[in-house]
Amino acid sequence: MGSAIDTLTTPLGGPTLPQERRLVTSIPGPRSQELLARKAAAVAAGVGHTAPIHAVAAGGGVVLDADGNSLIDLGSGIAVTTLGNAHPKIVEAVQAQIAQFSHTCFMVSPYESYVAVAEALNRVTPGAHVKKSALFNSGAEAVENAVKIARKFTGKQAVVAFDHGYHGRTNLTMALTAKAMPYKSGFGPFASEIYRAPMSNPYRDGLTGAQAAKKAISIIEKQVGADNLAAVIIEPIQGEGGFIVPADGFLPAVVEWCRENGVVFIADEIQTGFARTGEMFASDRFGIVPDLITTAKGIAGGLPLAAVTGRAAIMDASHAGGLGGTYGGNPVACAAALAAIEVFETEGLVDRAREIELLLKTRLTDLQNADARIGDVRGYGAMIAAEFVDPETNEPDAALTASVAKACTAQGVIVLTCGTYGNVIRFLPPLSIPDDLLHEGIDVVAAALAGA
Ligand code: PLZ
């Protein structure tokens, strides 16, 4: 039996995959079912999955499965393949680098691509001040290091994170993450000296940005105290927590308070970074300049790479040898990141994200006007959410959300849910997706909602 990729008339991977939704079996098809059975037997039960398929290729706006189904990708592997899977420039850069060398360990024998990625990050991240960077493997590792760096610089220990915040699954980052299930439950005890402040959430709290900031700052001052506080960490637009966009003025007020009180302001832009929100970074949208910024996901076209970038004085406070890791800034990932950053800067991706925002918001707002179960449509760029509620009470409707998402997957559209209450469908398409596939994806969401 030939594999599904034999059925392709165009080369494997990249935007040359046929850009269509095509179901040739029910989802999951027989080959995917086989794999799911092997997964259940071999992979730890704690590692879940959204779409019950076995991916064999992906590019443009589709994921191809082992049964020959072509699914519309509205998730980008959780906001990672912003350029589209197997972007030709990433493929070329990775192939060239792996043939040259795959690893020396930057802490043993440094190499140029790591330095060049640091230079690029120092240049493209918000603010014209002198910056430095350090590279790591995953978002959680970048967050861990941002906290280490802020503690070392300030000589203080406490860290404030926000309601609905998500920062990872390692011990310290679980402590920073708000939601118990599935991220934290039973995995404690968690790292100490982590405190939580209320997030501006205009759809739910009805506060202006200034009012929400005043409330958060008052809690921080009373319950933690600026003298004890090393850092405040926040996602400028929250990702896993429900694509919560703070009211205007909230972030600038928090940044100003941090600056006045010797507290390092860390923007976690792991999900929002690299053109995702229609700006290179979401901080730019709110006019804030973070002291430190964490990046990962979209940075390297799908290869594992993450970074902390920030004010040189803060970044340089750690003693030599205090930061690092065996694989951090792996040369293959760095080659991919250099190619990716070049594509972001030269192929108009920020503009493409804005076009996607217009398309998605127009379609979803039309749906909302026709169906009161969509309580809110929000977000920027190719990071747009629909929040599902009980129209009578405005209470979150997680069951409806889950059933819409499941029906979409069954119809060949990969959608992700999020939100503290599990009642948000988030749209995170690759920027390489053609408009007609986006429309078709939303048609499928509309039909799923109508049938739910
Ligand atoms: N900070 C803002 O969005 C990762 C997590 C999915 P890692 N988000 C997707 C899941 O269920 O594990 C994320 C994020 C923000 C940090 C992280 C952590 O990044 O690369 O997953 O460690």
Side-chain angles (χ1 to χ4, degrees):
M1 197 161 109
S3 92
I5 56 177
D6 296 338
T7 64
L8 291 178
T9 52
T10 47
L12 171 65
T16 48
L17 276 178
Q19 294 299 298
E20 62 182 8
R21 180 171 68 106
R22 184 182 69 236
L23 293 183
V24 296
T25 69
S26 59
I27 305 272
R31 290 174 69 103
S32 284
Q33 281 179 36
E34 260 171 54
L35 181 88
L36 291 174
R38 277 172 57 200
K39 175 183 184 259
V43 178
V47 184
H49 60 262
T50 301
I53 59 159
H54 174 179
V56 294
V62 298
V63 174
L64 191 73
D65 82 3
D67 296 286
N69 300 301
S70 174
L71 292 86
I72 298 176
D73 180 10
L74 298 184
S76 302
I78 324 188
V80 170
T81 53
T82 310
L83 304 178
N85 248 296
H87 187 287
K89 291 200 173 136
I90 304 282
V91 173
E92 196 189 334
V94 164
Q95 284 175 341
Q97 180 57 48
I98 194 90
Q100 204 69 27
F101 67 96
S102 56
H103 175 83
T104 61
C105 185
F106 190 73
M107 301 183 307
V108 177
S109 315
Y111 38 87
E112 185 181 352
S113 57
Y114 183 121
V115 179
V117 170
E119 289 167 346
L121 289 170
N122 298 344
R123 179 170 52 78
V124 301
T125 49
H129 51 283
V130 182
K131 288 174 233 159
K132 289 200 170 179
S133 292
L135 305 184
F136 304 97
N137 302 293
S138 67
E141 205 188 342
V143 170
E144 292 259 356
N145 278 280
V147 170
K148 279 168 67 171
I149 290 165
R151 283 177 168 159
K152 186 78 181 185
F153 173 73
T154 58
K156 300 189 276 185
Q157 293 187 352
V159 178
V160 162
F162 285 80
D163 287 337
H164 313 288
Y166 182 92
H167 300 287
R169 294 176 180 267
T170 57
N171 187 263
L172 173 61
T173 60
M174 274 193 293
L176 295 168
T177 290
K179 192 174 174 178
M181 274 303 277
Y183 306 123
K184 303 168 74 165
S185 209
F187 297 139
F190 303 112
S192 58
E193 287 305 316
I194 306 296
Y195 302 87
R196 199 164 302 285
M199 174 68 176
S200 167
N201 185 359
Y203 175 60
R204 293 276 171 198
D205 69 15
L207 301 178
T208 66
Q211 290 166 335
K214 196 172 166 211
K215 184 174 160 193
I217 288 166
S218 158
I219 286 175
I220 295 169
E221 283 178 337
K222 298 293 174 252
Q223 297 185 15
V224 188
D227 289 351
N228 304 309
L229 185 58
V232 162
I233 182 164
I234 192 164
E235 305 153 82
I237 296 174
Q238 290 181 322
E240 307 304 308
F243 282 23
I244 297 170
V245 182
D248 279 346
F250 176 77
L251 290 170
V254 174
V255 171
E256 194 188 328
W257 181 86
C258 286
R259 218 132 283 165
E260 284 166 0
N261 288 278
V263 174
V264 175
F265 180 91
I266 307 171
D268 180 346
E269 293 237 23
I270 286 164
Q271 191 151 160
T272 51
F274 297 103
R276 177 54 60 186
T277 68
E279 298 279 354
M280 197 60 167
F281 293 94
S283 294
D284 296 326
R285 170 167 297 286
F286 298 102
I288 57 166
V289 176
D291 298 315
L292 299 181
I293 174 167
T294 54
T295 53
K297 291 192 184 280
I299 192 175
L303 275 89
L305 188 72
V308 183
T309 300
R311 294 184 190 282
I314 302 176
M315 293 298 295
D316 279 342
S318 298
H319 48 275
L323 304 175
T326 305
Y327 293 111
N330 167 271
V332 181
C334 284
L338 289 174
I341 292 169
E342 193 189 317
V343 173
F344 281 119
E345 292 193 305
T346 58
E347 293 188 10
L349 291 180
V350 163
D351 293 336
R352 177 64 189 143
R354 291 179 187 179
E355 286 172 13
I356 289 176
E357 172 182 334
L358 185 64
L359 189 159
L360 286 178
K361 274 198 170 159
T362 306
R363 289 295 312 273
L364 292 169
T365 308
D366 285 350
L367 269 183
Q368 181 188 21
N369 291 337
D371 193 327
R373 293 175 297 172
I374 301 184
D376 195 26
V377 172
R378 58 174 176 263
Y380 288 106
M383 184 172 181
I384 304 291
E387 173 158 353
F388 293 85
V389 297
D390 177 334
E392 310 279 291
T393 60
N394 222 29
E395 286 297 307
D397 192 340
L400 172 66
T401 311
S403 88
V404 171
K406 197 168 169 219
C408 288
T409 310
Q411 288 304 314
V413 179
I414 299 175
V415 295
L416 306 175
T417 60
C418 66
T420 299
Y421 306 101
N423 69 320
V424 176
I425 290 188
R426 52 171 154 175
F427 299 94
L428 287 166
L431 302 180
S432 53
I433 192 171
D435 281 359
D436 59 337
L437 280 191
L438 274 180
H439 278 296
E440 192 177 339
I442 301 298
D443 292 342
V444 169
V445 173
L449 183 60

